[in-house]
Amino acid sequence: PPPLKPVDLIYDDDCDGDVDCAVTQPIIHHWINIGYVKMWGMVSSGPSQLGAPTMKVFQHYYGHDNLFSIGAWTPICGLHASAPWNIAVVGEFDPGDLCTNYENCSTVVRESVAKYIASGGKANGLAYVLTGPLSCEEAFRATPADAISPLTGAQMEQQFISQFVLMNGCSASPSLFNCTSETNCVEDINACGAFFANATSQNGYPPVYVVPLNTGAANVYTQVPIASL
């Protein structure tokens, strides 16, 4: 059934290097239009040039330019080549835009949560959905109190995030049925390991839900006691 009220959401995706964003972006913006989702911030965690620019193309197409900010994993956002479809989309609708034109994703998430709080958002009411590497989330969690908020990133997560929803699972090589490792964790193993080691109920964090892309990965970085999540 549809939600009784819009779901307050932070959306964190690579949005480059594969094609799932070509489907998820229209769905998300449609959900915004019909009142299923209230988007507070959107970031690209991919180490490639066109993740954030691709998000901006969809944001503009749906007329949502002023609804939320978009950030990029600026430290290494040009490390990997962009996917052909990203190159085509950005080249057609916003030629010349690059990830370096965007604010760092950790700052964008921080500003987005601060806006949610300032608007009267309830405690533990903001869902954080990650369908890419955990780089941006971990950088955000490490942020100190500053002019944006007197809360640290960790305190923001503990006090205002309702749940983490992660897409992970088996990374296919060479086919979807020959699994080698967890796809989004392997993109940034250190961030993934730090998240699952620290974002536990014992440490005061909200529930973590891992949605598998597939199952049977030989190298499982998220293998932690279920009770700790």
Side-chain angles (χ1 to χ4, degrees):
L4 298 177
K5 61 180 181 178
V7 176
D8 292 301
L9 188 67
I10 299 286
Y11 188 66
D12 185 334
D13 186 18
D14 45 9
C15 205
D16 195 356
D18 52 29
V19 298
D20 56 321
C21 195
V23 176
T24 57
Q25 283 290 306
I27 291 173
I28 288 170
H29 285 280
H30 175 64
W31 283 347
I32 293 171
N33 282 339
I34 63 177
Y36 284 8
V37 165
K38 165 70 175 175
M39 186 67 66
W40 290 92
M42 185 179 291
V43 296
S44 170
S45 54
S48 49
Q49 289 187 333
L50 299 180
T54 300
M55 289 176 170
K56 182 184 173 187
V57 167
F58 283 99
Q59 183 188 46
H60 181 68
Y61 177 82
Y62 283 91
H64 296 160
D65 303 77
N66 299 319
L67 292 186
F68 56 87
S69 297
I70 293 173
W73 182 227
T74 52
I76 56 169
C77 67
L79 182 65
H80 295 170
S82 291
W85 82 271
N86 293 90
I87 295 171
V89 167
V90 176
E92 175 69 24
F93 295 103
D94 200 3
D97 195 17
L98 296 172
C99 59
T100 49
N101 295 333
Y102 294 79
E103 197 168 28
N104 184 276
C105 57
S106 62
T107 301
V108 169
V109 175
R110 186 168 179 78
E111 292 171 341
S112 301
V113 177
K115 289 178 181 177
Y116 169 79
I117 297 170
S119 74
K122 67 177 183 177
N124 299 115
L126 184 57
Y128 194 146
V129 175
L130 302 101
T131 61
L134 282 82
S135 311
C136 292
E137 181 281 328
E138 281 299 289
F140 160 62
R141 191 163 63 86
T143 56
D146 57 12
I148 297 172
S149 172
L151 300 175
T152 66
Q155 290 170 330
M156 285 179 156
E157 289 190 344
Q158 291 164 337
Q159 296 178 31
F160 289 96
I161 300 301
S162 61
Q163 59 186 321
F164 294 101
V165 182
L166 281 63
M167 185 186 81
N168 216 312
C170 180
S171 178
S173 176
S175 73
L176 193 61
F177 304 102
N178 183 14
C179 302
T180 56
S181 61
E182 291 181 303
T183 179
N184 287 327
C185 266
V186 80
E187 284 284 341
D188 190 339
I189 293 173
N190 291 333
C192 184
F195 176 82
F196 282 98
N198 293 288
T200 64
S201 58
Q202 291 91 332
N203 289 339
Y205 287 88
V208 177
Y209 299 95
V210 179
V211 181
L213 172 66
N214 204 331
T215 56
N219 301 314
V220 180
Y221 302 103
T222 57
Q223 195 168 39
V224 295
I226 295 297
S228 71
L229 298 180

